[in-house]
Amino acid sequence: MTNSLRPHGQHGAPLPPAQPPVDGVPSPRAPQNSSSSQISQTSRGAPQSASPESKPVKQRDAFFDNAKYLAIVFVAMGHAWEPLTDHSRAAEALYMVVYTFHMPAFILISGYFSRSFDMRPDRLKRLVTGVAVPYVLFEVAYSLFKRWADNDPGHPISLLDPWYLTWFLVALFVWRLTTPLWKVVRWPVPLALAIAVLASVSPDIGDDLDLQRVLQFLPFFVVGLFMKPEHFQLLRRREVRILSVPVFAIALAVAYWAGPRMNSAWFYHRDSAQELGAPWWAGVVMTLALFGCSLVVTSCFFAWVPRRKMWFTALGAGTLYGYLLHGFIAKGSRFWDWYDAAWLQTPYGEVIATVFAATLITVLCTPPVQRIFRFAMEPKMEWAFKRDATEIARERANA
């Protein structure tokens, strides 16, 4: 019932390391240089980590951990809904609304916690160990998985063409490296938006490093770079929370109407307008329109994120784990034709699929899973880097 294009499965993503290395999104109270290396991924999903001379790590901000956990749950549910959208208009509407805000929310948080990123050696090391290395490992793992699970022995292993969820790690690596540049230009957000618009009308960019997504999602990262704590406080005001309810309801209604009429591949930001069969000027209009809509709906999401510690708050530090690991099940469900079961195409089946996705991603964000896969998500790799005199002096001072 929908004419949406489904490129080979690359969709949302979460935040890689910054404060807690694995999660990428440290507490706003703790400076980026206070801990280790995740949209997140990310956010993991967000910023860079800590420096030897940094002060003891302060308590994480529950709001951001809650936001990351809830966003990654929506990512998993969106992947579970995708095969259902051709048979259910309601699933298509929910799918489109979720894709309006879950990636922008992750990227915005990543930008917020990348504000202090510079080219200091310890931060560059954590960018490599917390983002680049997980990208290489999971790009290879996903490619091998596709060869086996999809009976496709010829599927190539290419670090230049991210497959499925790994695109976010490439994007985060590039965005963080450009952080110093955005701090010196005069109009960073308009410039980033202009770059995104130009990318949307440039079909020759190609698939290398998924640059279309890197460039089209760039404005959200830059917005995050220039956000301040008071901006998040503003979004959590009671009036904003109340107003967000009708706004979100309107978004669902519009998505329900637009489902059969609109190509939902626009939400992936993975292709140019011409590649989606639209005239070039549609790329300009859609990029600007979706940027505005995403900011509004993302604000509604942040307005309802709990600010106090919840039962799931601690899981916010494991979103990169959940993000990368759940992709094997999400893709496997298609390779093994799980969605061919007739009962899954019923409202009851859609609810079951939603609950399963939320439960799975929750389990994959837990500390036991983090401990098992830390070697791939947060490798120390001290053997790979030189130790400069400054770092040695800091260690001696802290001894």
Side-chain angles (χ1 to χ4, degrees):
M1 78 178 292
T2 174
N3 64 339
S4 53
L5 301 178
R6 313 276 185 209
H8 61 54
Q10 289 153 284
H11 303 303
L15 307 178
Q19 216 238 36
V22 198
D23 187 352
V25 177
S27 160
R29 301 174 194 162
Q32 175 169 333
N33 62 337
S34 63
S35 170
S36 66
S37 62
Q38 201 143 26
I39 246 59
S40 221
Q41 225 189 47
T42 82
S43 73
R44 261 158 244 96
Q48 260 349 63
S49 34
S51 70
E53 90 283 3
S54 57
K55 299 177 182 179
V57 179
K58 299 180 181 178
Q59 182 179 3
R60 295 173 61 99
D61 190 312
F63 171 78
F64 288 101
D65 279 335
N66 291 340
K68 289 188 297 173
Y69 167 75
L70 294 173
I72 198 64
V73 168
F74 279 117
V75 167
M77 291 193 300
H79 289 160
W81 293 335
E82 182 186 348
L84 304 172
T85 56
D86 290 333
H87 307 280
S88 171
R89 192 167 175 178
E92 175 76 357
L94 289 169
Y95 180 82
M96 292 174 68
V97 171
V98 163
Y99 270 78
T100 303
F101 73 86
H102 74 56
M103 268 312 304
F106 269 121
I107 296 170
L108 192 147
I109 296 176
S110 294
Y112 179 75
F113 284 105
S114 296
R115 293 171 300 163
S116 61
F117 180 82
D118 53 27
M119 296 300 176
R120 207 171 68 186
D122 60 311
R123 287 175 177 157
L124 287 175
K125 290 176 184 177
R126 286 183 172 78
L127 183 61
V128 171
T129 59
V131 179
V133 172
Y135 167 69
V136 172
L137 294 178
F138 275 86
E139 180 63 24
V140 172
Y142 272 132
S143 298
L144 295 176
F145 177 73
K146 178 169 171 56
R147 288 183 178 185
W148 167 70
D150 197 28
N151 193 25
D152 182 12
H155 180 78
I157 298 176
S158 172
L159 298 182
L160 293 180
D161 186 12
W163 190 75
Y164 198 36
L165 304 178
T166 56
W167 73 267
F168 180 73
L169 297 178
V170 172
L172 186 60
F173 188 88
V174 173
W175 294 332
R176 282 195 185 150
L177 281 181
T178 63
T179 294
L181 173 64
W182 298 111
K183 293 178 180 178
V184 299
V185 299
R186 180 162 295 184
W187 299 292
V189 175
L191 176 59
L193 194 54
I195 292 174
V197 168
L198 289 175
S200 72
V201 299
S202 304
D204 292 334
I205 287 180
D207 295 329
D208 289 351
L209 297 181
D210 224 341
L211 282 181
Q212 278 289 359
R213 280 183 159 175
V214 173
L215 299 178
Q216 291 193 38
F217 276 117
L218 174 63
F220 298 104
F221 182 81
V222 177
V223 168
L225 279 176
F226 292 92
M227 287 193 71
K228 300 178 180 179
E230 49 265 35
H231 294 142
F232 288 100
Q233 292 294 336
L234 178 64
L235 292 176
R236 293 185 285 182
R237 292 174 58 180
R238 185 172 180 271
E239 312 89 88
V240 178
R241 296 180 66 191
I242 294 175
L243 182 60
S244 67
V245 175
V247 170
F248 203 82
I250 292 172
L252 282 171
V254 171
Y256 189 83
W257 171 84
R261 301 171 174 84
M262 179 181 175
N263 185 344
S264 62
W266 285 105
F267 293 95
Y268 306 154
H269 296 285
R270 180 176 184 274
D271 302 285
S272 66
Q274 296 92 323
E275 290 172 304
L276 294 179
W280 71 267
W281 56 263
V284 178
V285 173
M286 292 300 293
T287 298
L288 297 175
L290 287 177
F291 178 71
C293 291
S294 293
L295 285 183
V296 171
V297 182
T298 300
S299 298
C300 294
F301 167 72
F302 283 134
W304 280 96
V305 171
R307 68 188 75 181
R308 66 183 185 279
K309 191 172 183 179
M310 310 290 289
W311 65 267
F312 53 78
T313 301
L315 302 180
T319 52
L320 183 59
Y321 291 86
Y323 173 69
L324 291 174
L325 293 173
H326 93 281
F328 294 102
I329 303 300
K331 270 300 179 185
S333 67
R334 275 62 146 191
F335 296 155
W336 301 321
D337 301 322
W338 292 358
Y339 282 87
D340 287 351
W343 65 271
L344 266 176
Q345 310 302 325
T346 66
Y348 170 78
E350 293 171 4
V351 172
I352 295 296
T354 302
V355 173
F356 175 79
T359 302
L360 174 67
I361 202 71
T362 298
V363 171
L364 294 179
C365 291
T366 57
V369 174
Q370 294 180 45
R371 286 193 292 270
I372 294 172
F373 292 96
R374 185 162 288 132
F375 75 95
M377 308 288 196
E378 307 175 68
K380 294 186 181 297
M381 295 183 61
E382 296 175 353
W383 53 269
F385 301 104
K386 296 179 180 179
R387 299 176 65 201
D388 56 38
T390 304
E391 185 176 355
I392 295 174
R394 288 172 186 158
E395 290 182 358
R396 290 176 178 172
N398 294 332

